[in-house]
Amino acid sequence: MDNKLKAETLALLLLIAAFPITSWGTTAGYYLVWSIGFISLIAGGVVPVMTRYMDHSGDKIRDVGMEYDDRTS
C-alpha cells in the first residue's frame, strides 16, 4: 500500500471512531474522553489535507479511458 492510501485509511478510522467517543464522553461527563474524541476528529480532518503535500514524484500517471485500461485486450 502506498503512503497516501495508508494516511487516508487512518483518517477514515479516526473519523469513524471520533463520533462515538465524543458522544460517550459528552453523555457520561468524562472531559478526557470527550477531548480524545475531539482530537481524533480534528486529526481525521487534517490528515487528508496533509496528503496533498506528500511526495508524489513516484506516482504513476494513468490515462483514463477504455483504450488505456490494462484489463481489456
Side-chain angles (χ1 to χ4, degrees):
M1 240 199 294
D2 64 344
N3 290 334
K4 183 177 179 183
L5 184 60
K6 288 179 186 177
E8 289 177 350
T9 303
L10 174 67
L12 178 65
L13 293 175
L14 284 171
L15 289 171
I16 288 172
F19 293 111
I21 291 171
T22 306
S23 296
W24 180 56
T26 302
T27 57
Y30 297 128
Y31 179 73
L32 181 64
V33 175
W34 180 86
S35 299
I36 291 170
F38 189 66
I39 289 169
S40 66
L41 178 70
I42 298 293
V46 169
V47 168
V49 175
M50 289 177 21
T51 61
R52 291 186 63 115
Y53 301 105
M54 294 173 75
D55 181 27
H56 295 287
S57 60
D59 293 350
K60 287 184 179 179
I61 298 173
R62 299 186 60 113
D63 290 322
V64 178
M66 192 65 119
E67 63 272 9
Y68 298 110
D69 195 352
D70 297 337
R71 297 171 292 180
T72 61
S73 56

